[in-house]
Amino acid sequence: MFKNDTVYIIGDAKTSSNNPITQKYNAFFIALVVERSTGMIIDADCSATVPLTSAFVKSILIYKNIQDYEELCAEIQNRYFGSSQKALTVALKNALIKYNSLK
């Protein structure tokens, strides 16, 4: 399904105690399939309670470069107004740190 040059990275972050994601998962997670050589995000998912949230987050991240963190955060802040907006940016930063450690 995925090429040999891809890696699977999980980024995580805390969410507020009243967030439904916290009630279900205890934290917010994003899962990314990233091309090791280019940083291109090939696939994405997240620990959302509503399937539309996962689809929307995927539409923001897919075919973007994980190393363009500031641009991705700006897009998240301009388009994603769910209660886990900050957790999403923190989880993305966590995933970026893990990606950078692969090199």
Side-chain angles (χ1 to χ4, degrees):
M1 179 174 195
F2 297 107
K3 295 179 182 178
N4 288 339
D5 184 41
T6 57
V7 292
Y8 180 76
I9 301 172
I10 295 283
D12 60 277
K14 299 283 186 205
T15 54
S16 62
S17 60
N18 64 339
N19 188 317
I21 292 170
T22 302
Q23 304 297 316
K24 188 171 182 179
Y25 299 110
N26 284 336
F28 182 84
F29 300 94
I30 58 169
L32 303 173
V33 176
V34 181
E35 284 184 348
R36 183 187 291 255
S37 60
T38 66
M40 182 72 61
I41 300 169
I42 303 302
D43 205 351
D45 206 347
C46 68
S47 58
T49 55
V50 178
L52 183 58
T53 302
S54 293
F56 192 79
V57 168
K58 181 175 183 167
S59 76
I60 290 174
L61 299 176
I62 197 163
Y63 304 123
K64 305 284 178 51
N65 195 302
I66 193 170
Q67 295 173 322
D68 294 335
Y69 174 75
E70 297 299 328
E71 292 173 27
L72 289 169
C73 284
E75 187 167 354
I76 290 165
Q77 291 171 358
N78 287 323
R79 298 183 60 208
Y80 181 87
F81 294 98
S83 59
S84 54
Q85 181 190 66
K86 179 150 177 65
L88 176 56
T89 60
V90 171
L92 183 61
K93 179 68 169 184
N94 182 253
L96 175 61
I97 289 167
K98 290 176 182 177
Y99 172 78
N100 285 334
S101 73
L102 298 174
K103 296 182 176 195

